[in-house]
Each structure stands twice: as C-alpha cells, then as structure tokens.
Amino acid sequence: MSHDIALVDGNNFYVSCERAFNPALEQRPVVVLSNNDGCVVSRSNEAKALGIKMGVPYFEVKHLTKSHGLIWLSSNYTLYGDMSARMMSILGAFAPEQEIYSIDECFLDFTGMVVDQIARGRKMRATVRQYIGIQTCVGIGPSKTMAKLANHIAKKQPQFRGVFAWSALTATEQDAMMAGLEVGEVWGIGRRLNAQLDNLGIRSALDLKQADPAAMRRRFSVVMERTIAELNGVACLDLEDVAPRKEQIMCSRSFGRPVTDLADLKEAVMSYTVRAAARMREQSSACHSRSSSSVASNADTSARHKCRGPVS
C-alpha cells in the first residue's frame, strides 16, 4: 500500500509562541535568545531578512536594535512546551497515527484515508492558527523523507500558501521540482555528506534520487540506501507511536541578577528540581545517585589514568 505522510511544523516556533501572547510583535524583527541570553535560537522572518543567522551570538547583532528596531526576548521554555502540547493535541485529531518528532514538528499518517490532501493540510493550518495563534507549514509525501522535503517547499515557496503535496504534481513535475532542490535539503544529509556527494557530482535531490542504491550503500551505508528508496516513494521509516524515553532530563534557567542570598538560591534549586522530577514521572522513569565517596573514588581513578606520573 502506498503511504500518505504529512509533516507539520510551527514556523519560527519560539517567536510564534511569543507573538501569540503579544500581537504587537507581529511584523517586527524579533529574536528569542538562549537561556543566558547569549545566542539567537529563534528568528522571525523579518529578523531573517536582516541577515541574522541561527545561533549567532547576540552581541554581534545587538546594533540592529537601534538601526532596525530589532526586538530580543529571553527564552521561556515553559511557555513553548505548553504551546507545543496544545499544537500536537490539535494536529493529532486529524489522523489516526501521529509521531511527535520535536517540540514544533510532528508526522501524521493519512494512509488509507480518502481525503483531499491539500484541503486537509489547509484545514490543519487554519485550525492551529485559530486555536493557538501559531503559523504552520504542511508537507505531504509518500515517505517521511519526501514529507520533510515537501515541508521545506511549503515553507520556502509562497505560491503553495504553506501546504505542498507531491501528489499534486505529475512524475515529470516532481523530478523538475527535485532538480531545483540542493541535496543538502534532503533529510539526513548533513554538511559532511553534502561535501562527499558533491564530489560525486550529486548536487540536487533529483541526483540523489537517481543514484544507484546498491553502489551508494557500499560507499556510504544502508541509511543512504534507505534515503534513496524514500526519495523514490518507498516508505522505509515507520511512524513511532511513542517517543523514546529521555536518558537525561534537565531543567535550568539563568538568573536575571546576581543571587547572594542562600535562601533564594535554595528556593530556585528546589523549584527546578520539582519540574525536572515531574518530567521524569511523565515518562515513568526513575533516577539514582552515587555517594560522594564513590564519585571521589571514580574521579581519583580517572585522574590516575590520565597522569603518567604518581598522583599526589
């Protein structure tokens, strides 16, 4: 059976969450900064137009606050997590199967559903926008890799109005579309692989689609072979009903001012510990700790392994 898989993601998610509660931020260049207000972790389209890159240190773009009215915000991950849960709940009602891939992305499986894919994609966008004020883009394809690529097209090419489905194109039109996409846009093709593929003359998504799967498996791995199969419409990656449990859970914030009172510090530590424990219970996990003597013993052993001479 052929598959129909959608990838839905929130546009500039952290900024969109902030705008949902502060409409005055609309149409303004806005960036959200990391925990310590050090680096840019989310940008509005207006901020992107100013040339601000993801991950850039804030001090490098701080001058734009005066010259171009750039607005910066400290991150609020509690808000973003709550908005993500709301968005995923809304989207989950549109398909029998859902895989939450990240805080702002999920896959939906429409396989076996007799629906107008474009119309359903637009309905999803409109519903999320109406209920929680978040703008989304929808990409639909016969595999997860093709859905990811479709989402990229929906986001970057305005004529599709935020929804793109490969099924709306003929086979010839699909190849033409893929010929215009750099191979680095294909899911799983990172910078290193991109450079290696470029040396082989594989520069577009179409080039990779038409590559010999067996030869590419020998040169790279079975993952590359599967990627090629997915680009040819063969679904090799199933949706995961349950996200894998986190092996590490962290809840941390930077203080907005120096903390010199021990009671204030204890209160903050207790508050964040409670939040981390709540997340742990949500996935039915347990934690353990080692005694200070055990930690000291391990640290001493590690130090002895790293030193060639005696440890004093």
Side-chain angles (χ1 to χ4, degrees), residues 1-2 4 93-97 108-117 120:
M1 179 185 295
S2 61
D4 297 308
F94 282 89
E97 292 187 55
L108 299 170
D109 194 346
F110 296 154
T111 303
M113 299 177 65
V114 182
V115 296
D116 182 326
Q117 294 181 351
R120 197 163 188 81

Side-chain angles (χ1 to χ4, degrees), residues 181-196:
L181 298 173
E182 295 182 1
V183 70
E185 300 298 343
V186 176
W187 192 25
I189 303 300
R191 184 178 302 175
R192 182 179 299 178
L193 272 179
N194 195 351
Q196 294 176 8

Side-chain angles (χ1 to χ4, degrees), residues 28-134:
R28 304 283 298 278
V30 181
V31 295
V32 173
L33 305 180
S34 55
N35 270 338
N36 59 353
D37 291 340
C39 300
V40 173
V41 294
S42 184
R43 307 158 293 159
S44 68
N45 290 335
E46 295 80 7
K48 293 176 184 179
L50 295 178
I52 299 175
K53 305 297 183 182
M54 180 66 81
V56 67
Y58 173 62
F59 73 84
E60 292 185 8
V61 298
K62 185 177 181 179
H63 64 280
L64 296 174
T65 58
K66 292 185 178 180
S67 62
H68 290 79
L70 176 67
I71 298 171
W72 67 271
L73 301 169
S74 296
S75 52
N76 183 347
Y77 294 111
T78 301
L79 169 64
Y80 310 149
D82 180 70
M83 293 292 279
S84 173
R86 293 169 184 261
M87 185 175 81
M88 297 309 171
S89 177
I90 294 168
L91 293 172
F94 282 89
E97 292 187 55
Q98 178 186 36
E99 176 190 339
I100 299 175
Y101 181 66
S102 67
I103 191 171
D104 65 338
E105 292 179 286
C106 74
F107 289 101
L108 299 170
D109 194 346
F110 296 154
T111 303
M113 299 177 65
V114 182
V115 296
D116 182 326
Q117 294 181 351
I118 299 295
R120 197 163 188 81
R122 289 176 180 163
K123 177 65 174 177
M124 288 192 295
R125 291 190 78 226
T127 304
V128 173
R129 180 66 169 172
Q130 177 185 357
Y131 286 8
I132 62 173
I134 300 294

Side-chain angles (χ1 to χ4, degrees), residues 98-102 239-246 283:
Q98 178 186 36
E99 176 190 339
I100 299 175
Y101 181 66
S102 67
L239 264 66
E240 297 180 8
D241 294 329
V242 179
R245 293 182 179 181
K246 297 179 180 178
Q283 64 176 32

Side-chain angles (χ1 to χ4, degrees), residues 129-183:
R129 180 66 169 172
Q130 177 185 357
Y131 286 8
I132 62 173
I134 300 294
Q135 287 280 16
T136 58
C137 281
V138 182
I140 305 171
S143 66
K144 292 173 78 172
T145 301
M146 289 292 279
K148 268 274 193 180
L149 210 54
N151 183 275
H152 172 78
I153 295 170
K155 187 175 297 183
K156 299 297 183 180
Q157 301 191 27
Q159 68 268 29
F160 295 111
R161 294 186 294 162
V163 180
F164 176 77
W166 289 104
S167 61
L169 305 182
T170 66
T172 301
E173 290 170 338
Q174 289 182 17
D175 284 351
M177 181 69 75
M178 294 179 73
L181 298 173
E182 295 182 1
V183 70

